[in-house]
Amino acid sequence: MGDGFTVAIDGPAAAGKGTVSKAVAAHFGFAHLDTGLLYRAVGAKVLTGMDAVEAAQTLMAGDLDDDTLRTPAVAQAASKVAVISEVRAALLDFQRSFAARAGGAVLDGRDIGTVICPEAAVKLFVTASAEVRAQRRFAELAAKGISDSYETVLADVKSRDARDMERVEAPLRPADGAVVIDTSDLSIEQAVAQAIAAIQEMRT
């Protein structure tokens, strides 16, 4: 296997792509980048009053370690800055240089297989029903002591889906040739096993 083996994993919020991506990266010894954190980091800066484009252009790797990036407010801010073409352009180089690193890389996000790394060796699209995803996010938030109602979380998931799928630039959709993994009725182990099998097939 040559250097720069890239795995692109896309999918909507709370489908399990982050969990699958981390497990896949660990299994193969690849580097992992949750590209959603880039947009969350920009969104978090915007919430402090910074201009979105300036925030994207000055983003540092250290900004991705902020513990506040997982809050619902930052998630919504991230989804809003993600529709700004100048923000996407600024983050494009960051993602592409990561994808090209020696030793293999796994990138997960919304437009990895379609825009960031269309030449990726393997493209996966991890999805699940909105209801299942809302239930997972609800449980996740409850565990952190954030008491949104299930109905609120479901509405939030659906509004993010609509924004992600309907935006003009890099809308959320499976890339050409992507292997679709629907995790609605799968355990984490089953989803990870399917992803690993798909990657193994492309590496042989």
Side-chain angles (χ1 to χ4, degrees):
M1 185 186 87
D3 290 337
F5 187 93
T6 306
V7 179
I9 303 183
D10 293 307
K17 68 179 180 297
T19 305
V20 169
S21 299
K22 287 192 192 84
V24 162
H27 179 85
F28 290 105
F30 294 165
H32 171 248
L33 177 64
D34 173 355
T35 65
L37 282 181
L38 302 179
Y39 291 96
R40 284 174 181 260
V42 172
K45 286 175 183 279
V46 168
L47 291 177
T48 66
M50 195 171 184
D51 173 71
V53 177
E54 185 189 341
Q57 289 169 342
T58 57
L59 195 68
M60 314 279 274
D63 295 330
L64 307 183
D65 297 329
D66 188 338
D67 288 340
T68 66
L69 298 185
R70 293 293 181 191
T71 64
V74 170
Q76 284 293 351
S79 191
K80 286 170 183 160
V81 300
V83 302
I84 303 169
S85 57
E86 293 91 343
V87 168
R88 303 195 74 81
L91 298 180
L92 189 69
D93 295 338
F94 189 107
Q95 295 171 80
R96 283 192 174 151
S97 61
F98 186 95
R101 62 173 51 204
V106 178
L107 285 80
D108 75 76
R110 300 284 195 280
D111 63 344
I112 311 303
T114 51
V115 176
I116 308 298
C117 304
E119 304 300 314
V122 182
K123 299 172 195 170
L124 304 177
F125 191 83
V126 179
T127 189
S129 71
E131 289 73 19
V132 166
R133 290 185 287 120
Q135 193 61 54
R136 288 175 185 164
R137 184 53 52 86
F138 175 67
E140 201 178 281
L141 293 171
K144 292 178 182 170
I146 300 171
S147 57
D148 279 348
S149 69
Y150 168 75
E151 289 73 21
T152 304
V153 176
L154 179 61
D156 186 38
V157 163
K158 286 181 172 174
S159 74
R160 282 185 66 190
D161 283 354
R163 196 154 50 223
D164 290 340
M165 290 171 183
E166 292 163 14
R167 65 178 176 229
V168 177
E169 210 168 316
L172 172 66
R173 62 177 175 80
D176 292 339
V179 175
V180 177
I181 300 175
D182 188 326
T183 67
S184 299
D185 300 315
L186 297 180
S187 67
I188 289 168
E189 293 76 18
Q190 289 169 320
V192 169
Q194 283 193 20
I196 288 172
I199 296 163
Q200 289 281 30
E201 202 170 311
M202 295 303 293
R203 289 182 77 194
T204 50

